Amino acid sequence: MGELERRVEVFRETFAEGYFGKNASVQGSVSIGVSYNSDMDASYASLFSCADEALLKAKEYGKNRVTFFEIKRGMLKYV
């Protein structure tokens, strides 16, 4: 697992641990979609669109997960 994948997964796990305050307990989950391009030639709109697609796939496949979309290969990589 690469550094980006590891950091995003740590964020997801930390969020899921919940917050236990003085008079409250809040717990939740987060789905994250990430897009990247190894060739560095993608536009912001393209990256945003692919991240949105990755987020939808994360929710579709069970929520509380991280999904990566690598534009160069045009395929989803699930973490």
Side-chain angles (χ1 to χ4, degrees):
M1 181 180 298
E3 182 66 18
L4 175 63
E5 290 94 343
R6 187 186 67 74
R7 286 180 181 235
V8 175
E9 184 61 23
V10 166
F11 175 80
R12 187 197 62 76
E13 290 172 353
T14 302
F15 188 88
E17 288 175 4
Y19 171 76
F20 304 96
K22 185 175 181 180
N23 295 315
S25 173
V26 178
Q27 205 161 10
S29 66
V30 63
S31 296
I32 303 170
V34 178
S35 67
Y36 61 95
N37 184 346
S38 303
D39 292 334
M40 302 300 290
D41 63 353
S43 68
Y44 171 80
S46 176
L47 287 168
F48 188 85
S49 176
C50 289
D52 190 46
E53 183 177 334
L55 174 60
L56 292 174
K57 288 293 182 187
K59 291 179 177 182
E60 179 181 330
Y61 289 107
K63 301 181 182 178
N64 193 30
R65 67 177 58 230
V66 179
T67 305
F68 290 84
F69 188 97
E70 184 178 4
I71 295 174
K72 180 178 179 181
R73 296 184 185 165
M75 59 192 308
L76 291 172
K77 176 182 179 184
Y78 300 101
V79 173

